[in-house]
């Protein structure tokens, strides 16, 4: 996954956390996500723009002169079978494949920020040359902050001599209410689906489309293992599986920490098919940990790293009490509950925030068992089972609060039957 401080996983988690948090707002009818793509950004960045940015960041003059010497007077040519073309001068761009290239590019693009008052509600996510702006859409508002953020990016790209690839600039709206409509942006088309940093986002705000795509891709890659089954050992087949199948299913896995059971089973079936290919139906499925277990472990590992104050995801965590425990957030919608931080918090503490519905359910069953002809022992047993489920049941196994409550109800009824 790369460094936790600069991984695509962290960028995607930040975006997902922001828009699910926005959709909890009382005056928010939806969120608009706009992605921008620049044509040959690494090759077209001007050297003087890079050097000016270094001076703005107070780099020593000697370092700036050294980098200037590194960038200027570079040439390139093509050589095929000993035949070499004429050399061409390279007036722009940073050397790709070098250590300094990505750093200099990131320093230059880092000069863009949405700090204006009109754009304070927008969130900018940058990763390499991928720019994404996520903005809430408010009820009874012109939502000028969305167009203002768009205009700011266009102005900045013009000043820095970046050329937008209009065909790849897309915007999508995730609606919370039916009256939500996108803000029209120049040179940006409205779509129902976005692919950002290898993950597919849809306008319903769920992962169904992404899961379907990676399951299809992983299933196709299983064909490679079928072909190689006769010529490779079991250990080598497992290596191939990890490289071409499981890597597809586990890309950015902490992002899907709150994935519902239905989507999770789709991925588990791919691994079960690999078991049958590997051992002809005689394979012990416990030989491999489930993808859900691996996903949970990866998410917990990243969550623990995010507790560090210098981690990029630290700002997503809720406040901590004087005793060192996280304050559980108040959540209205399941979409927010399944985002990275809340899903782990509720999973690790085995608690759910269901407002008064929990207490209504509690007292209903308490008085129901007391005023029926059942014995008081049965009433006590039901109450004990209910409290046990309330305090220790792993919430992550139930998709919604309703599913969780129905599980409790069915368990109590079975205990008394």
């Amino acid at each position: 996954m790369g460094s936790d401080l600069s991984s695509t996983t962290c960028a995607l988690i930040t975006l997902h956390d922001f828009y699910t948090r926005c959709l909890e707002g009382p005056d928010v009818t939806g969120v608009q996500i706009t992605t921008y793509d620049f044509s040959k950004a690494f090759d077209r960045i001007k050297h003087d723009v890079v050097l000016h940015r270094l001076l703005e960041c107070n780099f020593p003059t000697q370092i700036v002169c050294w980098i200037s010497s590194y960038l200027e007077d570079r040439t390139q040519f093509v050589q095929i079978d000993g035949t070499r073309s004429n050399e061409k001068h390279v007036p722009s761009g940073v050397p790709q494949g070098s250590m300094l290239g990505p750093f200099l590019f990131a320093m230059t693009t880092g000069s863009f920020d949405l700090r204006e008052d009109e754009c304070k509600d927008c969130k900018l996510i940058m990763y390499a040359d991928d720019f994404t702006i996520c903005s809430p859409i408010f009820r009874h508002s012109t939502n000028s902050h969305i167009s203002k953020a768009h205009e700011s990016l266009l102005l900045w790209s013009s000043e820095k001599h970046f050329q937008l690839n209009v065909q790849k600039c897309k915007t999508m709206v995730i609606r919370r209410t039916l009256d939500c409509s996108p803000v029209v942006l120049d040179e940006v088309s409205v779509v129902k689906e976005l692919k950002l940093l290898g993950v597919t986002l849809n306008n319903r705000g769920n992962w169904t489309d992404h899961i379907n795509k990676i399951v299809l891709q992983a299933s196709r890659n299983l064909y490679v293992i079928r072909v190689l089954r006769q010529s490779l050992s079991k250990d080598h087949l497992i290596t191939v599986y990890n490289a071409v199948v499981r890597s597809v299913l586990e890309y950015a896995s902490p992002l899907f920490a709150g994935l519902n059971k239905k989507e999770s089973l789709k991925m588990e079936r791919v691994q079960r098919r690999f078991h049958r290919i590997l051992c002809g139906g005689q394979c012990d499925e416990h030989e491999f940990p489930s993808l859900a277990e691996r996903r949970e472990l990866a998410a917990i590992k990243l969550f623990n790293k995010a507790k560090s104050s210098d981690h990029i995801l630290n700002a997503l965590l809720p406040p901590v009490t004087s005793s060192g425990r996280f304050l559980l957030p108040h959540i209205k919608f399941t979409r927010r509950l399944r985002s990275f931080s809340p899903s782990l918090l509720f999973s690790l503490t085995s608690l759910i925030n269901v407002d008064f519905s929990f207490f209504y359910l509690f007292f209903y069953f308490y008085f129901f068992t007391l005023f029926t002809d059942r014995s008081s022992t049965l009433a006590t047993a039901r109450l004990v089972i209910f409290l046990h489920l309330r305090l220790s049941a792993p919430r992550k196994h139930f998709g919604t609060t309703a599913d969780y409550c129905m599980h409790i109800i069915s368990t109590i009824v079975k205990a008394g039957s």
Side-chain angles (χ1 to χ4, degrees), residues 300-315:
I300 292 174
K301 181 180 179 181
L302 182 57
F303 183 87
N304 289 331
K305 290 182 178 180
K307 294 178 183 178
S308 176
S309 59
D310 61 345
H311 198 279
I312 194 171
L313 297 181
N314 182 259

Side-chain angles (χ1 to χ4, degrees), residues 48-65 67 107:
D48 57 338
V49 174
V50 176
L51 299 176
H52 180 70
R53 176 59 178 167
L54 294 176
L55 291 173
E56 285 183 341
C57 295
N58 298 321
F59 274 74
T61 305
Q62 297 87 341
I63 298 295
V64 176
C65 291
I67 293 178
M107 286 292 298

Side-chain angles (χ1 to χ4, degrees), residues 122-142:
C122 304
K123 179 71 173 179
L124 172 67
I125 308 292
M126 291 192 299
Y127 191 88
D129 60 342
D130 290 314
F131 284 56
T132 303
I133 297 179
C134 184
S135 313
I137 300 176
F138 296 103
R139 183 181 287 108
H140 308 308
S141 171
T142 60

